Amino acid sequence: MLSILENSRSIRWLGKQLFNREDPSAFFDPLLSQLDPMMVRQYIPARVIEIFDETADTKTFVLKPATRWPGFGAGQHVNICIEIDGTRHNRTFSLSCSPEQWRQQGTVSLTIKRLPGGRVTNWMHDNLKPGAVLGLGDAFGEFQLPVNPEPLLYIAGGSGITPILSQLESLAGADWRAPVTLLYFVRTQADVIAAEKLYAIQQRWPAFSLNVVTTEDGDTPQYLSDQHLEQVPGVNARRCYLCGPKGLMDLASELLHRRGVTEDRIHSTFFSAPAAALVSDELGGEVRFSRSELTVSSEGDAALLDIAEAARLSPQSGCRMGICHQCSCRKTSGTVINRLTGKASGPGEESIQLCISIPQGPVTVDL
Ligand code: FES
């Protein structure tokens, strides 16, 4: 009798799952992932098909997403979801290939530098192999090309070249007629990422001028200066795209502003969270995660995302640098400092991004 009851309960449960119209993937995905990970529907699976070295610490990962992935614009970012030792991690990377590669070959490339202490980037460098499957989110980001041809200036530093590579390949493919200059700052020649690709673009696209500036090859370190800009014909009339370390981007913006290039003609994106100058002894405080009924204390400039994870909570996250908004969460009381701007929030209820919010005194978060 008991087993008949249990069987009928199981059948009812199975029936409910099968007709769960809100989220059928919650039922089917674990089964499908065992049969073929490319059939999973909760995220768009992408199979790693090739991995190659760009420099000693940077690799390109070529992925083949399932065909339902909607594609991207040159210069956009994407979140990836990857499982490491049974835990899922989300990270944001720039796509380093042109949208044409996706349209024509059905593949996309991520060019990723190993980061000191970077749990995910280092794991990918050391363990990810062709054949593995990871999850791919929709592409996002405002670092995009103008619609009509006009002269462009790119200023990149180190791995800040990745979204720019995507745009340059796209422009070269479309035979963009207006002049395009890239000033690419790297420590040494050996640190030029995608060197072969960049020189090939230069060869086949006459409107493109490539200038690699090595900052540590000579006796005196070289930094971006007005002299570099002077050498770019018609620099003041160019639309400018910047990607690299915060110091380089701040300096580039300042030099361009001084030349009268207006803010709306300067586009920038960054690859790690730039930190505003913060007075750390005014930071930290008691953090209450109200839904989890957990209270912890924090010190210094630790962001709420790190504090939550240290307390063994698993809030959603992606880029960890204030771009993707995946970590957005309700703060119900207390003040936080925005790591990017250095500005304080109001004391009341509002939406915040956990990865760039540093408590200043007691804070309660709906997590
Ligand atoms: S994790 Fe992307 S904005 Fe916070």
Side-chain angles (χ1 to χ4, degrees), residues 24 28 58 71 103 110 114 118 121 133 148 152 157 223 227 245 252 255 313-314 320 335 339 352:
F28 286 110
T58 303
R103 284 195 284 269
L110 302 174
R114 195 184 266 283
T121 54
V133 173
N148 297 315
L152 307 177
Y223 300 110
Q227 272 177 330
L255 294 173
L313 300 179
S314 308
R320 307 180 79 90
T335 302
R339 163 167 287 172
I352 55 166

Side-chain angles (χ1 to χ4, degrees), residues 98 168-175 196-208:
S98 67
L168 290 175
E169 275 214 298
S170 209
L171 293 170
D175 199 16
E196 220 172 282
K197 193 185 266 187
L198 283 170
Y199 291 118
I201 292 176
Q202 188 184 31
Q203 289 257 311
R204 70 174 201 266
W205 179 28
F208 177 54

Side-chain angles (χ1 to χ4, degrees), residues 28-140:
F28 286 110
D29 277 1
L31 295 178
L32 291 174
S33 68
Q34 295 304 314
L35 296 171
D36 180 353
M38 297 300 282
M39 292 164 74
V40 170
R41 307 222 49 106
Q42 263 183 338
Y43 54 85
I44 307 280
R47 195 179 292 284
V48 180
I49 58 167
E50 193 185 355
I51 302 171
F52 54 87
D53 291 330
E54 296 285 3
T55 67
D57 59 4
T58 303
K59 286 181 194 280
T60 288
F61 299 82
V62 183
L63 312 176
K64 194 168 184 60
T67 49
R68 63 181 186 275
W69 190 65
F72 68 104
Q76 285 198 302
H77 315 287
V78 74
N79 287 323
I80 67 159
C81 173
I82 198 161
E83 196 168 306
I84 301 176
D85 299 332
T87 305
R88 279 189 184 179
H89 299 266
N90 297 296
R91 289 292 183 274
T92 303
F93 298 107
S94 299
L95 290 143
S96 57
C97 61
S98 67
E100 288 68 36
Q101 180 181 317
W102 161 243
R103 284 195 284 269
Q104 289 167 9
Q105 298 163 28
T107 62
V108 296
S109 304
L110 302 174
T111 299
I112 299 174
K113 184 174 175 171
R114 195 184 266 283
L115 293 174
R119 199 170 12 170
V120 174
T121 54
N122 290 346
W123 188 91
M124 289 176 76
H125 270 249
D126 296 335
N127 299 289
L128 200 58
K129 297 279 180 292
V133 173
L134 45 82
L136 210 60
D138 287 353
F140 64 94

Side-chain angles (χ1 to χ4, degrees), residues 317-320 322-325 327 353 355:
S317 67
C319 63
R320 307 180 79 90
I323 300 175
C324 71
H325 288 263
C327 64
Q353 289 159 274
C355 67

Side-chain angles (χ1 to χ4, degrees), residues 215-238:
T215 56
E216 291 178 15
D217 265 342
D219 294 337
T220 30
Q222 273 220 62
Y223 300 110
L224 172 67
S225 71
D226 227 10
Q227 272 177 330
H228 294 113
L229 299 181
E230 263 330 315
Q231 287 161 18
V232 180
V235 61
N236 300 2
R238 293 204 181 200

